[in-house]
Amino acid sequence: MFKFPQYAKSIQKKIADAWKHDKWNNLRVEVFFRIHRDGPVSGVRIKKSSGNAGFDENGVKTIKAAVPFDKLPERFTSNTLRFIFVFQKGKV
C-alpha cells in the first residue's frame, strides 16, 4: 500500500482533468509511467492494451498532458515512483 494517499489523489485528479473519453465504450487500458522527484515523467507506455489503438493512445497522451505532477513527497525515499494508471469509459 502506498503510504502517501494525498499525493496519489493529486495525481489522479490531474489525470482525470486532462482525460477526454467521450467517444469510447466499454474499454479499459493500463498505462505505466515513472514520476521523478521534481514531477516530470518518463517511460510512459501501455501496460495492458484495451485492444483499441485510439483509446490506448488517448491514455498515453492524457498522462503526458497532465505533466508535470507535484514533487514527490519529501519522506518518499526513492527518486522515482512507478505508477500504473487505469483508464475506463466513465472512470479514471
Side-chain angles (χ1 to χ4, degrees), residues 34-51:
R34 286 182 185 87
I35 303 173
H36 295 265
R37 172 78 35 208
D38 290 333
V41 302
S42 67
V44 182
R45 64 176 169 80
I46 303 301
K47 178 161 175 43
K48 186 172 182 183
S49 175
S50 68

Side-chain angles (χ1 to χ4, degrees), residues 18-24 29 31 53-63 87:
W19 191 35
K20 311 291 185 234
H21 59 80
D22 54 77
K23 60 183 176 180
W24 290 285
V29 62
V31 180
F55 188 75
D56 291 358
E57 184 61 25
N58 190 39
V60 169
K61 286 180 179 179
T62 298
I63 298 299
F87 293 91

Side-chain angles (χ1 to χ4, degrees), residues 8 16 44 63 68-70 78 81 88:
V44 182
I63 298 299
F69 295 118
D70 293 338
S78 180
L81 170 64
Q88 272 183 266

